[in-house]
Amino acid sequence: MSKKPFQHTGMLVRFILRQDRLRISIWIIALVLITLSTAISFSDLYQNQEERQAIAQTMRNPAMTAMVGYSGGLENYTNGAMMAHQMLLFSAIAVAIMSILLVAKHTRTEEEDGQLEMIRALPVGRLSNLSATILVVSGTNVLLAIIVGFGLYALGIESLDLEGSFLYGAALGATGIFFAAATAIFAQLSENSRGTIGLSFAVLGLAYFIRAIGDVGNATLSWFSPLGIVLKAEVYVHNYWMPIILVITLAILLLVLAFYLNSIRDLDAGFLPAKPGIVHASPFLQGPIGLALRIQRTGLIAWAIGLFLLGASYGSVLGDLESFFKDVEMMKALITPVEGFTLTEQFIPMLMTVIAMFCTVPALLVVFKLKGEEKKNYTEHILSRAVSRSRTMGSYFIISIVTSIVMLLLAVLGMWFSSVVVMEDAISFSTIFKAAMVYLPAIWTMIGLAVFLVGFRPTNTSITWLYFIYSFIVVYLGALLQFPDWLRNLSPYGHIPHLPVEEMDFMAVSVLVIIAIVLSIVGFITYNKRDILG
């Protein structure tokens, strides 16, 4: 290792780009295409100011504010104001996820796999790997910002001016750089990649939660969330650059701290080391299911807390919806009153769709943990014992199924508890419970797909995430952008009946359960036949 801390950083930059050229290209292309296609769809759907103001009225209610964020352009809801209001937050979250995964991969994951030790044995600087990673990820975010900015302006859509378009791109880039810096710090604090990614996603979830509370209630609180700060830029409305500068400044401060921690940290160590284990394992840890649950315990607890809080944040705004709907004629046109159901009850299915998709993520992470353990040769050690492959995969499969149920239940409890506090005539627990649990077959279908890919082709498990992102787009934005029904029907979430308003469709959910079972069985069979990755 060289005594110069940044020696050969440029060489490592080229090495990382060589490794991730396809991955980075896919991220950029996907984010740009989604952004540009959404902008075009908005301009086609709402072709005059009257139509845009009508939809603006629907966005004023607290639930929508908590979901998509604050906007200062509701009084003059131009194409640009609409685009920034309804898409900027979720696009920023997607960019944050990209940055978290890229930084974690090239820092703690490579260190955990022993790759960084080999690099450090060469004449490279102590800080070269971290600096190369930050340069690549930051450069990716800057490139994304520039392409998005040019792309939005090149569409020639009214109100999508040059400054606003580049500010939109800058907001995405700044968010990505901030979470890259945050992940770089957690890579120093945690002693494994699981902790790094878990802590980073926890901060992302906390940022979303703080922003939701601040946007609905105390606006000052939104300034304590990077997601809330970028929304303060009021893109295409007032075009404030100061919030973006503030986020970049905070990111630089975090990076300084990350580099300092990296300079004083020993290789393979973390500032938050795991506590020493007991000498003899408990009976619970002497089986594959106990072991699989133990190594994922921290992440599952974090997700459980986050989803309970998410449900509580949505439930806390239900008390204002009924009065809001009565005053807005547009809402009566969008949500046709159904006899026997309040307008608030009719609004619940949309919230449940979002909650169910969030609950899908930890369930999928459990399944894909099996692939991660296999890649590190940990699974090979287990299979060398008197443990079958079916029992090993079955442990992760069972935990994933239970996780889907528990996470959805916690979100329901959070929503119900907070709704009881804010509503005079609260919605019954059974109503919220049924509206949520009906999404389990869709989640299980996604789990079945994950099990199938882990068993049949583990190198292509990213297909599951692409399909999940597709489902989120067509289901969440499908009605808003008036996608054809067949696109929605390609997602398992598109076949779920909207309880309590619609009748229960036992045929649809039964078919989804059968598909989940078939995919899982094929996954188990192929996992037993294929070679274990080394």
Side-chain angles (χ1 to χ4, degrees):
M1 183 178 67
S2 171
K3 294 183 179 180
K4 298 179 181 179
F6 298 100
Q7 185 172 1
H8 292 312
T9 295
M11 183 180 297
L12 290 178
V13 167
R14 292 192 295 272
F15 180 65
I16 293 174
L17 288 174
R18 175 71 178 175
Q19 279 186 302
D20 280 357
R21 62 187 185 281
L22 180 61
R23 181 180 287 107
I24 291 174
S25 298
I26 292 174
W27 271 108
I28 292 178
I29 292 172
L31 290 169
V32 170
L33 288 179
I34 291 173
T35 301
L36 300 186
S37 61
T38 302
I40 295 171
S41 299
F42 278 143
S43 64
D44 291 339
L45 287 174
Y46 310 103
Q47 299 181 359
N48 56 63
Q49 189 63 24
E50 289 74 19
E51 293 179 356
R52 289 191 291 270
Q53 286 305 129
I55 197 65
Q57 291 300 312
T58 71
M59 306 301 292
R60 291 180 181 272
N61 73 81
M64 294 306 298
T65 301
M67 188 178 299
V68 303
Y70 162 81
S71 173
L74 292 176
E75 297 299 330
N76 183 24
Y77 213 46
T78 62
N79 286 315
M82 181 188 302
M83 177 68 184
H85 183 207
Q86 300 186 29
M87 282 300 297
L88 180 56
L89 176 61
F90 287 109
S91 299
I93 291 174
V95 174
I97 292 173
M98 174 191 72
S99 297
I100 289 171
L101 296 178
L102 288 176
V103 172
K105 177 181 183 296
H106 291 290
T107 53
R108 180 52 73 173
T109 299
E110 291 188 352
E111 184 172 344
E112 191 175 5
D113 292 343
Q115 298 178 37
L116 187 56
E117 185 176 4
M118 295 176 61
I119 293 174
R120 292 273 286 270
L122 301 173
V124 299
R126 185 182 185 88
L127 303 178
S128 296
N129 185 74
L130 179 59
S131 58
T133 300
I134 295 300
L135 286 173
V136 169
V137 178
S138 298
T140 300
N141 281 284
V142 171
L143 179 61
L144 175 66
I146 294 173
I147 296 176
V148 167
F150 270 120
L152 288 173
Y153 179 67
L155 294 176
I157 298 174
E158 182 185 1
S159 75
L160 268 64
D161 59 297
L162 182 62
E163 182 182 7
S165 297
F166 275 100
L167 182 58
Y168 189 103
L172 297 182
T175 303
I177 293 173
F178 178 89
F179 281 97
T183 307
I185 288 181
F186 292 131
Q188 316 311 316
L189 298 180
S190 177
E191 62 176 9
N192 54 57
S193 58
R194 182 174 65 251
T196 300
I197 295 175
L199 289 171
S200 300
F201 275 112
V203 170
L204 179 59
L206 183 63
Y208 182 88
F209 179 66
I210 293 174
R211 181 224 39 93
I213 296 177
D215 288 348
V216 173
N218 185 0
T220 304
L221 192 60
S222 297
W223 287 96
F224 290 90
S225 164
L227 298 177
I229 295 175
V230 296
L231 294 185
K232 297 294 185 182
E234 298 190 22
V235 181
Y236 292 122
V237 180
H238 296 108
N239 290 335
Y240 298 132
W241 284 90
M242 189 54 67
I244 307 303
I245 296 174
L246 176 59
V247 172
I248 293 295
T249 302
L250 292 174
I252 293 173
L253 294 176
L254 292 179
L255 285 175
V256 171
L257 177 59
F259 278 107
Y260 171 72
L261 294 176
N262 187 240
S263 67
I264 63 175
R265 180 178 64 85
D266 292 332
L267 194 66
D268 291 330
F271 288 98
L272 298 175
K275 63 181 180 180
I278 57 178
V279 177
H280 300 288
S282 66
F284 181 70
L285 284 178
Q286 294 178 11
I289 190 169
L291 177 62
L293 185 60
R294 175 63 182 84
I295 61 179
Q296 300 179 87
R297 181 183 64 182
T298 303
L300 291 176
I301 292 175
W303 273 103
I305 295 173
L307 289 169
F308 178 84
L309 294 176
L310 178 66
S313 66
Y314 284 159
S316 65
V317 300
L318 292 179
D320 297 328
L321 293 184
E322 195 70 27
S323 59
F324 173 80
F325 288 159
K326 292 179 180 178
D327 298 333
V328 179
E329 292 296 327
M330 184 63 184
M331 287 306 300
K332 297 178 181 178
L334 289 178
I335 302 181
T336 304
V338 178
E339 185 178 355
F341 299 99
T342 65
L343 291 174
T344 304
E345 287 176 323
Q346 295 174 61
F347 194 72
I348 285 179
M350 186 178 73
L351 298 179
M352 286 305 173
T353 302
V354 177
I355 288 176
M357 289 189 173
F358 273 110
C359 292
T360 305
V361 176
L364 292 179
L365 290 176
V366 170
V367 177
F368 291 138
K369 184 62 180 175
L370 174 60
K371 175 193 170 185
E373 297 293 290
E374 181 179 343
K375 188 176 180 181
K376 297 173 184 175
N377 295 323
Y378 296 162
T379 305
E380 185 177 358
H381 178 71
I382 294 176
L383 294 177
S384 66
R385 312 286 176 170
V387 180
S388 67
R389 292 194 184 192
S390 294
R391 189 180 174 192
T392 301
M393 175 174 268
S395 300
Y396 288 86
F397 177 74
I398 291 172
I399 295 173
S400 180
I401 295 294
V402 173
T403 295
S404 66
I405 299 172
V406 172
M407 296 299 174
L408 206 52
L409 179 60
L410 288 171
V412 167
L413 289 172
M415 177 178 285
W416 181 71
F417 279 136
S418 59
S419 66
V420 168
V421 175
V422 300
M423 298 180 69
E424 295 182 1
D425 186 15
I427 300 174
S428 67
F429 176 79
S430 62
T431 299
I432 300 178
F433 179 81
K434 293 175 183 177
M437 292 300 162
V438 74
Y439 278 92
L440 282 175
I443 301 177
W444 292 343
T445 302
M446 297 298 297
I447 293 174
L449 176 61
V451 171
F452 168 76
L453 289 173
V454 168
F456 179 70
R457 195 174 292 276
T459 56
N460 292 338
T461 52
S462 58
I463 293 175
T464 307
W465 293 116
L466 293 175
Y467 185 48
F468 177 75
I469 294 172
Y470 167 84
S471 297
F472 182 84
I473 293 172
V474 298
V475 174
Y476 174 72
L477 297 175
L480 187 65
L481 302 180
Q482 298 182 5
F483 288 157
D485 290 340
W486 66 269
L487 285 176
R488 181 185 178 92
N489 291 336
L490 291 177
S491 167
Y493 302 93
H495 295 277
I496 300 299
H498 292 168
L499 301 182
V501 180
E502 298 178 356
E503 293 289 334
M504 178 63 182
D505 189 346
F506 288 100
M507 178 60 70
V509 298
S510 297
V511 169
L512 289 177
V513 171
I514 293 173
I515 292 174
I517 292 174
V518 171
L519 287 172
S520 300
I521 291 175
V522 175
F524 272 82
I525 293 174
T526 52
Y527 183 73
N528 277 285
K529 292 183 177 181
R530 71 169 173 83
D531 293 333
I532 295 297
L533 296 176

